[in-house]
Each structure stands twice: as C-alpha cells, then as structure tokens.
Amino acid sequence: MVDVAAERGKRSSSRTSEEGAGWRCQQIGSYKGLRPNTDTFSWFHPRTLWRSRNEILAGLFGDPSGEVRRRWMKEQRARGVDGDLRIAPGLGKSFNFLLLGDPGEGDDSQYAVVPGLLQVGADTSFAVIASDVIYPTGAGNEYPDKFFRPYKDYQAPIYAIPGNHDWYDGLGGFMRVFCDAPPLKPRPDRGLRGLLWRKPEPIDEDTLAAARKLRGSPAQQAVQPAPYWAIESESLLIVGVDTGIRGTIDAEQTAWLRRTSLDPRPKILITGKPIYTRNVHKPSALEGGGTIDDIVRDPAHRYVAAIGGDVHNYQRYPVRVGDRVIQYIVSGGAGAFMHATHTIGRVDVGGVHEDDFKCYPLRGDSLSFYSQLYAKRLRMRWLCLTPAEAACIMADRIKNKPIREIDLTVTITRRVRWAARVLGAWPMPFRLPVGSVFHRYLSELSDWDTPPFFKSFLHLEVTPASLTIRCFAATGCLPQELDPPLEDEVTISLV
C-alpha cells in the first residue's frame, strides 16, 4: 500500500507558499484535454437558476423528498433489496478509498480535479461522492459528461449519496445510475408547489447506455441498494445518509440509521449536509424528534468522524464530546463553484479553538481570489488584493497564527480594509451582514473557470488501528497536478 503522506507530505502547498496555492500559474494542467467540446456550465444563465427553483419551493411549501424517498424505498424492497442496505465490496482489514463532494458541474473546475485524483486514488478500493453528483438538477441525461466521462479512468467502483440538487429531478437520474432502478410512476402534487415544481425529465436510455461503456470494466461496476447505505469492512463501517433537499431525515431512514448505528464497529458518517460549517452547528433533524448529531455523539455508536458535502470548500472541526474527539469535516470542493472561506469568522463553535480549525482554501487566498474576480467583473481596480495583502488583513481580523508566513512589509491601508468589507471579510461600520449575504446569495455568481481553482478531495486510509484522512488540493496548474498538494491530515484511533 502506498504511503501517501510520506510521498507528498513535504511538498509545496498553500500552507507553505503562494506558488503552492497556485498563484502565478505558469502552465495549465492537462485537464483541458479531458473535457468534451461542450458549452461551459454557468450559474449566470437565468435558465440554470430557473431549473433549480425546487430549492426555493421546498422552503416555501414544504420538502416532498421524504415522501418521494419512501416511494423509492418501497419499489427497491419490491425488487428484492436487502433491508439492511449493506454494501460488501470484499474489503480486507486495511484499505483506502476516496471521497469527493459536490463535483458535477461538468466544466473546467470539475475536470481539473481528475488528474490528481487519479494519482492519489491509484491505491484505493472505491470512491464515494458526497452530495450533488450532477448540477443543476441531477438530471439523468447529464450524467455522460458530468460523471461517466470525468471518472472513466478511475478503476474502482463509485458509490454516492445524493445532495439537494440531485433531488431537483426527484432522484430519477441518481436512482437510475447508481441503483439501476426504473423510474417512479408519476404522482400528482396538488397546489401551488405542484404547479411550479420542476418535474423529472425522461432519460435517454440509449445515450445513458453508451455513457456507461466509459466506465465499463468489471473493476468499475457497482450497484448500491438505495440513496442511503452502509459499506462493510472488518475495521470500519461507512454509513451514508440521504438528507434530501432541506436536510430532514424521514422516519423510515431514521429507524434504519438507529439500527445500523448499533453495530459494534467504529464508524464514519457521510452526509449530504455537514453538521458543522462556517462556525455554526447544523445537526440535521430526524422525523419524530432528535437529530443526526445525537446519533453521532452517542458513545455507544462509536462514530469517529462525520463528513458532509453541500458547502463547496474544505473545513475540519475537531469537537470534543465527553472523553473523545469527533472529527466533523466539510468536503464539498471536488468541482462546483467555491464557497468562500474568508467570510468564516474566528472559530469557537463546539468548543473548537481557532488554531485547531482547518480550512482550504486559506481565508487569505479566498479573499484575494474573490477580490481579483470582482475587481475584474465590476471594473473596480481598488477591490483587488494581492495574496499577501489578503493574508495580512485576515490575520488581523481573525487574530490567529497565520498558516502561511505573511509578508511583514505589507501595510493594511484604508483601501485594503474597505475592499475586505465589501467582500464580507471585515465588518461594515453599520449593521449589514455582508459575509452571510456573500455566502448565501453571491457564491453561484462568483463561479470561474480559470486557475487557481482551490478544489479538493479526500483520501482515507483504514487499518485495524486507525483511520487517516488527508485533504488534497487541485488548483488547475500543472505543478500541483503532477504533485497534488497535501493541505490537511488527521489520524484517528479506531482501537
């Protein structure tokens, strides 16, 4: 088994240099040659936003995903799926796997992750996609260029849990591709929600069959039993839950999760919605009472980590629960537009100290890139901050020990401070939650397709004694493509 840490642990990353972060990119990576010659995905297009309207409708009129999920599960049981929803890939006591969150835009930012993922993942037994396999609506007809083509050279099975965007298609595309399930019979939804709701689109079976041949080798084949499942191994149980559109778990899945969590093996949870993100605790409600995090925190269940997608960056919160530490991780940076990290304030949630919190991109890199992006788009040159300026003002704002050594000759001027205010990194002199607005409403409009991308994915190494989680970066620049930077690493005892 390849020791990834020994191979890459000392190489340049965003934590050691600006070059390691992908700044001053001199040569674009090979990912351009992997993409088909199709139009670039864009959140600027009104049609994209209109096709994603089910998120707003679910918030206004109620989320129907629990009811639809029950219908899918009834059909799966009728087809003979085992009620425990176990996946048994034949793993030994020690194995590795990949986890990539929110990949499926099908544009340069997704394909830029692929070369490094193939290098780091050469020793892995399988991969898991955590949330939002396909943007914007999870449609089955978009799987060819947003799933089968980018991962055609990954020679192992890929499993997935759906995100909110996969549910905008009623989970039709997801269930067809990952569970080999036929479409559900339409059922009318009365009222205004039913009138405005985007309906699933019919799948072109011939096109899908041709796309499947891209991942047609025996080693790549896998059919999972449902949108939630548990992957068996001797050393660890990997539990995946489906959080639908709004994050609530229906009663049937809740009962399954409680039953599965009684297994005596140590476990990690993979979920479509992270439990800790942006210095906020979001435990995800269970139908009938309680939360997912209640189950994770119960010492009898032996969860050692909970990893969620949905938020498009990397964050890690080591939360002490009683006499143990649970690693709560956000990993949604495998392809979609980047959610800013510079709008995350000094961390203290769950008793986590700021110096123990990890994120990628670094807050300074996030601020610098967004400042350059908006300076260009708005033609406001004064907004532009160099990586060194952004790193300095973020260190001043957060009052932490800078991860990457900062340039002490940089002066934080009034212009620099006002640029940081406009971009949500520094408080306004009046009450205006710019950081929250920036994260919630402007991220999609900040999508870009030029390096550095600040994308990421996880490599997880399992032994009988430990679980090691490593976060690798993809910038789109050739040096980082050839040697994927290691941005974070944590080892958890399983004994």
Side-chain angles (χ1 to χ4, degrees):
M1 186 177 293
V2 176
D3 189 338
V4 180
E7 290 291 321
R8 295 188 171 91
K10 296 182 179 180
R11 296 176 183 172
S12 179
S13 72
S14 73
R15 283 158 163 70
T16 59
S17 69
E18 292 184 7
E19 290 76 14
W23 295 113
R24 297 185 291 277
C25 188
Q26 299 295 313
Q27 190 173 0
I28 302 297
S30 64
Y31 65 90
K32 285 282 190 180
L34 303 177
R35 275 194 64 206
N37 187 21
T38 57
D39 293 336
T40 298
F41 177 88
S42 175
W43 289 98
F44 283 103
H45 201 293
R47 184 171 179 269
T48 300
L49 299 176
W50 174 243
R51 291 179 69 198
S52 304
R53 64 188 180 274
N54 288 1
E55 174 81 31
I56 304 299
L57 296 174
L60 293 174
F61 304 111
D63 181 2
S65 55
E67 177 187 349
V68 177
R69 187 189 297 112
R70 284 190 289 270
R71 293 180 60 206
W72 278 117
M73 294 306 298
K74 181 179 179 180
E75 293 295 322
Q76 288 298 92
R77 287 194 299 272
R79 297 175 67 221
V81 167
D82 173 56
D84 287 337
L85 307 180
R86 297 296 176 99
I87 299 171
L91 303 170
K93 293 182 178 180
S94 298
F95 62 96
N96 298 337
F97 69 100
L98 294 174
L99 188 143
L100 48 157
D102 303 83
E105 286 190 354
D107 55 7
D108 282 358
S109 59
Q110 178 181 6
Y111 278 81
V113 177
V114 173
L117 181 146
L118 293 176
Q119 282 197 54
V120 174
D123 66 338
T124 54
S125 300
F126 61 91
V128 175
I129 296 179
S131 182
D132 292 344
V133 183
I134 302 293
Y135 289 98
T137 63
N141 293 324
E142 297 188 42
Y143 271 80
D145 288 340
K146 298 180 179 181
F147 174 73
F148 289 105
R149 187 175 300 279
Y151 309 123
K152 64 184 178 63
D153 294 324
Y154 178 66
Q155 296 299 315
I158 299 176
Y159 306 101
I161 58 168
N164 55 320
H165 285 265
D166 299 308
W167 268 102
Y168 298 166
D169 191 54
L171 218 60
F174 183 97
M175 293 297 292
R176 186 75 190 91
V177 170
F178 290 102
C179 304
D180 199 23
L184 284 179
K185 294 180 180 179
R187 178 176 291 180
D189 184 3
R190 295 181 175 86
L192 190 57
R193 184 181 69 183
L195 179 65
L196 297 175
W197 196 263
R198 182 189 177 275
K199 307 302 188 294
E201 60 185 57
I203 296 175
D204 184 331
E205 291 291 346
D206 291 339
T207 300
L208 183 59
R212 286 186 186 275
K213 294 179 181 179
L214 294 171
R215 283 187 48 81
S217 73
Q220 295 172 314
Q221 302 311 299
V223 177
Q224 63 187 58
Y228 54 95
W229 38 255
I231 297 177
E232 297 266 14
S233 81
E234 295 183 45
S235 304
L236 184 74
L237 194 65
I238 304 161
V239 181
V241 295
D242 170 19
T243 50
I245 295 178
R246 304 293 295 178
T248 300
I249 304 296
D250 65 277
E252 182 180 341
Q253 185 179 185
T254 295
W256 170 85
L257 178 60
R258 292 189 187 281
R259 185 171 67 251
T260 300
S261 297
L262 294 174
D263 188 294
R265 283 169 287 189
K267 303 169 191 70
I268 62 172
L269 182 78
I270 300 176
T271 169
K273 302 283 187 183
I275 294 175
Y276 283 89
T277 179
R278 292 177 51 77
N279 200 33
V280 178
H281 183 216
K282 297 184 175 182
S284 284
L286 301 171
E287 187 176 318
T291 69
I292 290 178
D293 200 27
D294 293 337
I295 294 176
V296 171
R297 286 169 174 259
D298 188 331
H301 296 157
R302 298 190 68 191
Y303 281 94
V304 297
I307 306 173
D310 189 55
V311 178
H312 305 164
N313 52 44
Y314 173 81
Q315 302 169 51
R316 179 166 66 85
Y317 300 82
V319 178
R320 177 162 292 281
V321 180
D323 60 353
R324 62 202 177 105
V325 172
I326 300 175
Q327 300 290 340
Y328 291 89
I329 294 174
V330 177
S331 183
F337 65 88
M338 186 185 82
H339 280 126
T341 58
H342 66 263
T343 57
I344 303 173
R346 182 178 173 87
V347 166
D348 56 9
V349 68
V352 177
H353 192 278
E354 166 63 34
D355 291 340
D356 296 324
F357 166 71
K358 308 297 179 185
C359 70
Y360 177 79
L362 299 179
R363 290 178 176 103
D365 288 332
S366 172
L367 175 59
S368 180
F369 198 97
Y370 274 97
S371 75
Q372 295 178 39
L373 187 74
Y374 276 99
K376 181 179 179 180
R377 287 184 177 170
L378 301 178
R379 298 182 180 180
M380 300 171 69
R381 293 182 60 186
W382 67 272
L383 273 179
C384 187
L385 301 176
T386 66
E389 289 174 328
C392 284
I393 196 165
M394 290 311 306
D396 191 29
R397 166 68 175 142
I398 302 300
K399 309 298 183 187
N400 65 338
K401 181 180 179 181
I403 304 298
R404 185 169 73 222
E405 186 175 345
I406 62 175
D407 185 349
L408 298 178
T409 66
V410 171
T411 301
I412 299 177
T413 64
R414 182 176 296 180
R415 177 196 67 84
V416 169
R417 202 175 300 280
W418 268 104
R421 285 186 172 119
V422 170
L423 294 166
W426 195 274
M428 285 285 189
F430 43 85
R431 294 176 66 88
L432 183 65
V434 177
S436 299
V437 171
F438 192 93
H439 171 82
R440 179 64 183 85
Y441 300 106
L442 299 181
S443 295
E444 290 89 341
L445 301 181
S446 305
D447 197 13
W448 65 83
D449 281 300
T450 55
F453 288 115
F454 300 110
K455 301 292 108 184
S456 60
F457 61 92
L458 303 185
H459 177 281
L460 296 92
E461 180 182 352
V462 181
T463 73
S466 64
L467 165 67
T468 300
I469 304 174
R470 300 182 176 101
C471 174
F472 287 94
T475 67
C477 304
L478 187 62
Q480 288 81 45
E481 185 177 281
L482 296 174
D483 294 322
L486 178 63
E487 293 290 344
D488 189 31
E489 177 177 7
V490 60
T491 297
I492 306 164
S493 174
L494 299 182
V495 179

